[in-house]
Amino acid sequence: IAPNPFLTGAPVRNPKMFFGRDDDFEYVRQRLVAEQEGIVLMLVGARRSGKTSIMFQILNGKLGDQFLPVFVDMQLMAGVIGDREFLGRTANIILESVEDERLVADYYDFSEGNPILIFDQLLEDVRQVFPGRRLIFLLDEAEILQSKVEKGELSGAILSYMASILESRQVSFCFTGSFGLNETNSEEWRRLTGKGDSREISFLSPGDTRSLIQ
């Protein structure tokens, strides 16, 4: 008996095992290209609807070489407390993602000084090293970030900074989350997500489903 080729439960990382969603990728690509500044895109839907799998395909280069995607799994940030630790860990994720010898981790010391200024210097250095490529942060389970700010585990300055680099650094964000992702009383969160669009991720189309089965 041949092994079952279908994956259930876990997100699909392998491009060869991913089918469909071309309209979703085209939507993301067009929205990113259309904006001279950065943008926030929110992919919302029920659990197991394929949001994280879409993120992994973007990470694999689905949108093309003009983008520099960095995947941040917010579930792995669940125990992070404080802006310094959060930005330090995110900086390490960036450095591991781009893997360029011109960007040395020891140069970015988050143990002292203003962590936002240190992180901003890293973004500028990435821009210099990769001219013509636009950085896009893929934040999976973005509600965790929202919750951390609401609980005081991260300051609202983090969200304000994220909103500011949409323009100053032309950095974009792609969030995944539930349908209520943009429902909050947080002024900083509304300022960030107000500069973007939300798209529902649901069932595969009939044609994509046939391709998957075949």
Side-chain angles (χ1 to χ4, degrees), residues 4-207:
N4 186 349
F6 296 99
L7 302 178
T8 59
V12 180
R13 294 175 178 265
N14 187 346
K16 294 181 180 180
M17 296 299 296
F18 186 92
F19 290 84
R21 305 291 190 189
D22 290 337
D23 55 340
D24 295 315
F25 290 121
E26 187 58 27
Y27 161 80
V28 172
R29 184 186 295 108
Q30 288 185 0
R31 294 297 289 118
L32 291 172
V33 171
E35 294 292 331
Q36 295 298 318
E37 301 175 355
I39 190 173
V40 178
L41 300 175
M42 291 170 283
L43 305 181
V44 300
R47 296 185 62 83
R48 313 300 187 193
S49 60
K51 303 184 298 295
T52 304
S53 296
I54 290 175
M55 289 282 215
F56 282 137
Q57 305 318 304
I58 295 176
L59 184 64
N60 290 335
K62 184 72 174 181
L63 299 183
D65 294 337
Q66 69 188 102
F67 299 104
L68 190 63
V70 173
F71 182 80
V72 180
D73 186 349
M74 286 304 303
Q75 289 188 7
L76 298 180
M77 294 281 200
V80 170
I81 303 293
D83 298 358
R84 190 177 304 278
E85 183 180 3
F86 175 75
L87 291 176
R89 288 204 185 186
T90 305
N92 287 334
I93 293 172
I94 295 173
L95 295 169
E96 291 171 359
S97 297
V98 301
E99 289 185 317
D100 192 287
E101 61 184 10
R102 291 168 290 182
L103 297 169
V104 181
D106 292 342
Y107 181 75
Y108 309 98
D109 183 6
F110 285 86
S111 64
E112 57 184 14
N114 187 325
I116 288 181
L117 295 180
I118 298 169
F119 189 85
D120 198 61
Q121 182 61 57
L122 172 58
L123 294 187
E124 172 60 19
D125 293 345
V126 169
R127 188 184 69 84
Q128 295 287 343
V129 170
F130 298 96
R133 300 188 69 183
R134 299 181 64 174
L135 187 64
I136 173 171
F137 284 102
L138 310 172
L139 265 73
D140 198 29
E141 303 286 352
E143 287 100 340
I144 297 175
L145 173 62
Q146 184 184 55
S147 175
K148 281 188 168 297
V149 174
E150 291 175 350
K151 294 177 180 178
E153 296 177 358
L154 295 176
S155 75
I158 289 292
L159 299 181
S160 296
Y161 171 68
M162 291 171 66
S164 73
I165 60 177
L166 294 172
E167 179 179 356
S168 65
R169 298 296 183 198
Q170 289 79 52
V171 169
S172 292
F173 297 92
C174 186
F175 294 165
T176 67
S178 64
F179 291 105
L181 184 59
N182 205 26
E183 297 176 1
T184 176
N185 294 323
S186 167
E187 181 179 347
E188 293 91 348
W189 186 264
R190 290 200 307 269
R191 180 188 172 202
L192 172 61
T193 59
K195 300 180 179 181
D197 289 334
S198 177
R199 183 175 178 87
E200 180 182 352
I201 303 301
S202 186
F203 298 109
L204 287 175
S205 69

